[in-house]
Amino acid sequence: MKKTLFIAITLTALACNGQTAKSHAVAKSSGSTTHSNVSVSVSDSNEVYSYSAIFDKPKSKAAINEIEKAFGKPMTEGKNYVWREGESLEIKAREGKISIEFEKGSTKLYDKVKELGESISAVVGEK
């Protein structure tokens, strides 16, 4: 009964919204002599791709280097490094934290942004 109700609610929600969304979040903690905490959240709907990562501060430079490889040198706003592509993409990074907000439109840019999220996750230790 619960499974049928869940399926009915899910189908109704999809029919009402006319979209699909994928989302996943991962949190890792490990420690022997060193402690490592990583939290990555990805949401990928028909209209928006968003990515958020919180990780150990020493990995910040490597993660920011990944963004610079894809999008060049950043602007600075306070403690944040910021990259923008028109009004559809904004990437913010600071020590131990990165967020990406992309309003879909360009498939080529979407592929580039999605690959960036995957490479940041690999660098900060999510995978």
Side-chain angles (χ1 to χ4, degrees), residues 3-127:
K3 188 174 182 180
T4 305
L5 182 60
F6 173 76
I7 292 171
I9 291 171
T10 303
L11 290 175
T12 302
L14 289 174
C16 292
N17 291 333
Q19 65 181 16
T20 59
K22 296 185 289 183
S23 176
H24 80 274
V26 176
K28 278 189 177 181
S29 291
S30 65
S32 50
T33 55
T34 60
H35 296 283
S36 177
N37 292 305
V38 178
S39 175
V40 173
S41 175
V42 177
S43 177
D44 194 357
S45 72
N46 287 341
E47 289 90 26
V48 178
Y49 171 88
S50 63
Y51 175 94
S52 177
I54 300 172
F55 48 89
D56 294 330
K57 289 181 180 181
K59 296 182 179 181
S60 299
K61 184 167 178 55
I64 289 169
N65 285 341
E66 289 298 310
I67 303 169
E68 287 181 338
K69 280 192 253 179
F71 291 99
K73 294 290 179 187
M75 298 181 293
T76 54
E77 293 179 0
K79 293 181 179 182
N80 292 318
Y81 295 106
V82 180
W83 295 260
R84 289 190 179 95
E85 292 277 325
E87 293 188 16
S88 64
L89 174 64
E90 180 177 76
I91 303 169
K92 288 186 178 181
R94 66 173 189 239
E95 275 194 273
K97 185 175 182 180
I98 292 177
S99 66
I100 301 172
E101 291 294 325
F102 175 61
E103 292 180 23
K104 292 181 179 177
S106 164
T107 303
K108 185 176 179 180
L109 186 55
Y110 165 71
D111 291 340
K112 185 176 179 180
V113 169
K114 188 174 177 185
E115 281 181 31
L116 175 62
E118 292 168 359
S119 68
I120 291 169
S121 292
V123 166
V124 300
E126 189 265 331
K127 292 187 176 181

